[in-house]
Amino acid sequence: MQTLAHFGDGGPGPWILLFPVIWALVIAGGIGLLRRTVWRGRRGGPWRQPTVGNDSPIAVLGHRFASGEIDEDEYWRRLSVLDEQFGRKGGAA
């Protein structure tokens, strides 16, 4: 009885069983590469979305502190009031 793994008479030998594995690795690698590059930008996951909107009062306060309009004490005092009223998305400090 002749099988695919029978290589005594010049058949393909046991290496024929590796071809499906190789194709599965090539396809999985292609999908992994697409997920890490092209498809990542379309989803707009959490790495693309800011935790606080640019027009929110907390973001405006942060911009004012960064530009030097207000000092650190005033920043923390106003931020505590804004956190009570608006809160932060995601609970990050």
Side-chain angles (χ1 to χ4, degrees), residues 10 32 48 50 52-55 64 79 82 84-85 88 92:
R48 296 275 185 188
V52 177
N54 286 334
D55 57 346
R64 289 185 63 197
L79 182 63
L82 290 175
E84 290 175 6
Q85 291 179 358
R88 288 183 182 252

Side-chain angles (χ1 to χ4, degrees), residues 18-64:
L18 285 179
F19 285 113
V21 173
I22 292 171
W23 277 111
L25 289 174
V26 167
I27 291 170
I31 290 173
L33 183 66
L34 286 173
R35 285 186 65 182
R36 294 181 64 82
T37 57
V38 177
W39 293 341
R40 177 171 278 188
R42 290 186 189 165
R43 285 190 301 207
W47 53 87
R48 296 275 185 188
Q49 298 171 353
T51 56
V52 177
N54 286 334
D55 57 346
S56 73
I58 295 175
V60 172
L61 181 65
H63 291 299
R64 289 185 63 197

Side-chain angles (χ1 to χ4, degrees), residues 1 6-7 9 13 39 54 66 70 79 90-91:
M1 176 181 214
H6 182 69
F7 58 94
D9 295 330
W39 293 341
N54 286 334
I70 58 175
L79 182 63

